[in-house]
Amino acid sequence: MSDINPTPVYEGRHVSMLRRGGWEYAVRNIARSAVGIVAVTDAGDVVLVEQHRPPVNQTVIELPAGLSGDIVGKEDEALVEAAKRELLEETGYVADRWTELMTGYSSPGLTDESITLFLAEGLQRQGPGGGDASEDITVHEAPLGDVLTWLRSRSAVADLKLLAGLFAASEALRSRKGGD
């Protein structure tokens, strides 16, 4: 483990590059955690979002997600509150029950960004979704137990955090029901 302090390499509008030893990595200019939501309907479907991602120049299927504390005046926003806000903004759903699943790093060889995944249940539609003014999000619902088949049938590209979230949510739901 290296205790070398990072040195700046580049600073952009949204991200900067740092160097620690011989390793360069990206950091968000607002050092806040990300949240991802595995939102499961009463019918057993998971709510997914699809949006164009400029770094890969294509649309990607993802969990609803976003940054915590990225709104002026709400920099100390609790992670679950950020998750609630992002779920409503991106999908139009609110949830009655929230469970924190796990926290990990989105791509630890590239960035120091952490993401906390939540399970959202007891969903009710309260808005159109679609994201904020800077986003063009399409909302999908797919069978929780068959998301890979759903993705393949669409020849869709997925954010792999989607699979981590589905695994963590499935484990939480299974353990709640007394499964092994």
Side-chain angles (χ1 to χ4, degrees):
M1 182 170 186
S2 174
D3 61 355
I4 299 170
N5 288 328
T7 57
V9 174
Y10 164 81
E11 186 171 334
R13 182 173 157 213
H14 298 290
V15 297
S16 295
M17 296 292 295
L18 300 178
R19 179 179 292 119
R20 179 174 283 136
W23 201 268
E24 295 171 349
Y25 60 98
V27 296
R28 288 192 186 275
N29 291 341
I30 57 164
R32 309 277 189 308
S33 296
V35 294
I37 305 102
V38 181
V40 180
T41 68
D42 290 344
D45 290 335
V46 64
V47 180
L48 304 172
V49 296
E50 179 178 7
Q51 61 184 314
H52 181 78
R53 292 301 194 172
V56 295
N57 198 29
Q58 58 186 324
T59 59
V60 179
I61 303 288
E62 310 171 356
L63 294 174
L67 296 174
S68 66
D70 63 338
I71 296 175
V72 175
K74 295 187 177 185
E75 291 83 1
D76 294 327
E77 179 180 39
L79 293 176
V80 71
E81 293 305 315
K84 290 175 181 179
R85 175 177 51 79
E86 290 291 347
L87 181 65
L88 178 59
E89 178 184 291
E90 293 191 359
T91 71
Y93 280 104
V94 296
D96 291 334
R97 297 180 308 282
W98 289 86
T99 305
E100 185 173 323
L101 297 170
M102 64 178 292
T103 298
Y105 293 99
S106 59
S107 184
L110 177 66
T111 180
D112 67 348
E113 179 182 67
S114 67
I115 183 167
T116 299
L117 298 172
F118 289 90
L119 172 61
E121 300 171 280
L123 301 183
Q124 299 168 9
R125 172 94 55 188
Q126 289 204 348
D132 64 23
S134 69
E135 300 169 309
D136 183 16
I137 293 174
T138 302
V139 179
H140 299 284
E141 293 181 16
L144 178 62
D146 211 13
V147 172
L148 284 176
T149 301
W150 183 87
L151 289 167
R152 287 183 191 118
S153 73
R154 304 175 66 79
S155 298
V157 174
D159 179 337
L160 293 180
K161 291 183 296 296
L162 164 62
L163 300 180
L166 292 174
F167 176 77
S170 294
E171 289 292 303
L173 292 167
R174 188 170 52 108
S175 69
R176 189 185 299 157
K177 291 179 182 175
D180 33 86

